[in-house]
Amino acid sequence: REAIFRDAMWERPCTGGSALFLFIGMGIAFWSNAVLLVTGGSQYEPSPPQLCAIVTLFIFGNWLHNSADVQKYFVLKARKGLITDGVFSRIRNPNYLGELMIMGSFAAFGWNQPMWWFPWVWMVVIWTALFYPACLAKDKSLSRYPQWAQYASATGLIIPWPMAARGSDGEE
């Protein structure tokens, strides 16, 4: 993926503290699910309907995350400016929603565990400390475009806004 459509945001240097928080926080968020699953025994395994929901969430999260990144990469190669169509027509951060769905699918493996809440707490910490501020910074950066106010009022930050216009010209 990175060989075809790179995300410049991840190529910028970060502080040692940010790198450490990202490494430890993401490690705990992702690996706590696996530890809960393997150490709990078979009585805590997800049921078939739960597995179906988890896999569906994972697949759609990957689709949304990668579709948004691909659209952003290729549209910005062709023209600079605000992207208001495609997966960006109802949500300003579809890639972050996709990541949330992926992380949620991993956390959902521990639903039947007594410590089911632990991976979810770490997800909230990561989202509050890393992704939500990144969404706000992106909004601030994109606010320089003339059509920003209309686009921002018609789309959700992370959750899709169903009443958003379908086209980049604001028409249904």
Side-chain angles (χ1 to χ4, degrees), residues 36-109:
L36 288 176
L37 191 60
V38 252
T39 60
S42 62
Q43 73 267 23
Y44 298 123
E45 288 179 2
S47 67
Q50 287 173 323
L51 281 175
C52 181
I54 290 167
V55 169
T56 301
L57 188 64
F58 179 78
I59 289 170
F60 281 116
N62 268 293
W63 173 83
L64 185 59
H65 172 70
N66 287 300
S67 295
D69 284 350
V70 166
Q71 179 183 357
K72 180 175 72 171
Y73 178 80
F74 287 107
V75 168
L76 292 178
K77 276 187 79 116
R79 66 167 173 82
K80 298 295 179 203
L82 189 61
I83 303 170
T84 60
D85 59 354
V87 293
F88 291 89
S89 65
R90 289 180 169 76
I91 178 175
R92 296 190 301 277
N93 295 284
N95 46 350
Y96 286 126
L97 177 59
E99 287 186 30
L100 177 63
M101 293 167 73
I102 294 166
M103 292 171 66
S105 70
F106 291 138
F109 272 105

Side-chain angles (χ1 to χ4, degrees), residues 97-126:
L97 177 59
E99 287 186 30
L100 177 63
M101 293 167 73
I102 294 166
M103 292 171 66
S105 70
F106 291 138
F109 272 105
W111 271 340
N112 300 331
Q113 285 279 346
M115 297 267 303
W116 65 268
W117 53 268
F118 187 75
W120 293 100
V121 167
W122 271 101
M123 268 188 48
V124 168
V125 167
I126 289 168

